[in-house]
Amino acid sequence: MSSTAEAVKVVAPRPRGGIVQSVNDSLVVARRNLIRMSRIPEMIIFGIIQPVMFVVLFSYVFGGSISVPGSGVSAEGYREFLMAGIFAQTVTFATAGAGAGIADDMHKGLIDRFRSLPMARGAVLTGRTLADLVQTTLTLVVLALVALLVGWRTHEGFFSVLGGFALLLLLGYAFSWIGALIGLSVRTPEAATSGGLIWLFPLTFVSNAFVPSENMPSFLQTIANWNPFSATVQAARELFGNLPPGYPVPDAWPMQNPVLASVLWSVLIVVVFRTLAVRKYRSATA
């Protein structure tokens, strides 16, 4: 018995320190998910087609019909106003994919296999969200190229534009943790997809993404102006230089300080929902 115990001690992998192990395990899980995505290219293709359709439809169908303060009813003016909203919608809609992926791993028992390994508990979820962030980045790059083709332009410096896209990706990463929590809370990937989308529609449409919030009823204006989605959209518009001259900025703190508000909202969402998701993961696999 003693020789067997000694053999087990030699063979069994020794977990490293907490932070080092967590980072390494998260990267390993992220790599596994990226390899899986690359072997199912239709996941990436369909994820790109939908936002491209939104760009084309909104640009050409609504472009000459919606008035934007500062530019009036202008297809070009609305296109520049619109694109930050489409970018933000794209990164947040990736939430459904994150939830469905985690629910699928739970359904197939893969999470139980991870649990049998000497790895950090939160690494499974962190790795998944990091992989989703890479896919979202790829989608955002393609979407930006399509937007340039239909006439969208930026009017600020390179680093300002880069900062706008960084805020969009931070919002997408934050929302992927909401998707992770949903994926752990349902029984099937189909339910995770539905649960990941149903709350996103009011969040994105009761915002300043597609129309100025001043066109809404007063009670909806308050909701839209304090919506974390709206803060990121407003910040991206400022950093891209897509706000028309004389555009009336709503008298609400997030709209007056959109960059800071966007960062604070995203960090808060990550902290809260990562904590809840990891706790749910531990109880679900206990």
Side-chain angles (χ1 to χ4, degrees):
M1 290 295 291
S2 60
S3 60
T4 303
E6 290 177 1
V8 171
K9 288 181 181 178
V10 172
V11 174
R14 296 179 181 179
R16 295 169 294 281
I19 296 178
V20 175
Q21 180 185 8
S22 180
V23 171
N24 185 71
D25 293 344
S26 297
L27 293 176
V28 169
V29 175
R31 181 173 177 272
R32 172 257 172 191
N33 282 287
L34 288 173
I35 292 174
R36 178 170 176 263
M37 290 175 185
S38 67
R39 292 175 179 173
I40 312 175
E42 55 267 28
M43 291 175 59
I44 300 175
I45 294 172
F46 291 149
I48 292 174
I49 289 176
Q50 180 180 341
V52 168
M53 289 176 60
F54 271 108
V55 170
V56 175
L57 290 173
F58 273 85
S59 296
Y60 291 107
V61 175
F62 300 110
S65 304
I66 297 178
S67 175
V68 177
S71 62
V73 180
S74 164
E76 181 180 352
Y78 181 66
R79 191 178 297 119
E80 293 201 352
F81 177 84
L82 169 72
M83 285 314 306
I86 294 291
F87 291 149
Q89 183 191 54
T90 300
V91 299
T92 53
F93 271 38
T95 299
I102 291 175
D104 186 51
D105 287 344
M106 290 284 291
H107 185 68
K108 292 179 179 178
L110 186 63
I111 298 296
D112 291 332
R113 291 179 224 168
F114 281 135
R115 185 170 176 257
S116 66
L117 300 174
M119 62 187 300
R121 290 294 179 89
V124 175
L125 303 180
T126 302
R128 175 72 208 198
T129 55
L130 288 176
D132 289 328
L133 180 62
V134 173
Q135 183 179 359
T136 301
T137 303
L138 174 62
T139 303
L140 202 57
V141 169
V142 175
L143 190 58
L145 294 176
V146 173
L148 290 172
L149 290 176
V150 300
W152 172 68
R153 296 293 183 269
T154 60
H155 306 284
E156 296 292 343
F158 173 77
F159 290 105
S160 179
V161 173
L162 194 64
F165 282 113
L167 289 179
L168 290 165
L169 290 173
L170 178 60
L171 180 71
Y173 180 72
F175 274 50
S176 69
W177 281 105
I178 301 178
L181 180 61
I182 293 173
L184 291 168
S185 303
V186 298
R187 297 182 180 180
T188 64
E190 294 79 10
T193 301
S194 299
L197 287 175
I198 193 170
W199 61 275
L200 280 173
F201 281 102
L203 183 79
T204 55
F205 282 94
V206 184
S207 72
N208 61 359
F210 306 112
V211 296
S213 59
E214 67 174 18
N215 294 343
M216 302 177 185
S218 58
F219 74 96
L220 285 182
Q221 287 185 33
T222 302
I223 296 174
N225 291 336
W226 284 87
N227 185 341
F229 186 85
S230 294
T232 299
V233 171
Q234 186 78 358
R237 283 186 182 131
E238 284 194 3
L239 294 172
F240 294 157
N242 286 158
L243 283 176
Y247 181 84
V249 178
D251 187 21
W253 187 85
M255 297 296 99
Q256 297 287 333
N257 307 275
V259 174
L260 179 58
S262 176
V263 173
L264 291 177
W265 271 121
S266 295
V267 170
L268 179 63
I269 291 170
V270 170
V271 170
V272 171
F273 283 92
R274 187 185 189 281
T275 301
L276 293 175
V278 172
R279 185 177 300 172
K280 183 70 177 179
Y281 169 80
R282 288 174 175 170
S283 63
T285 57

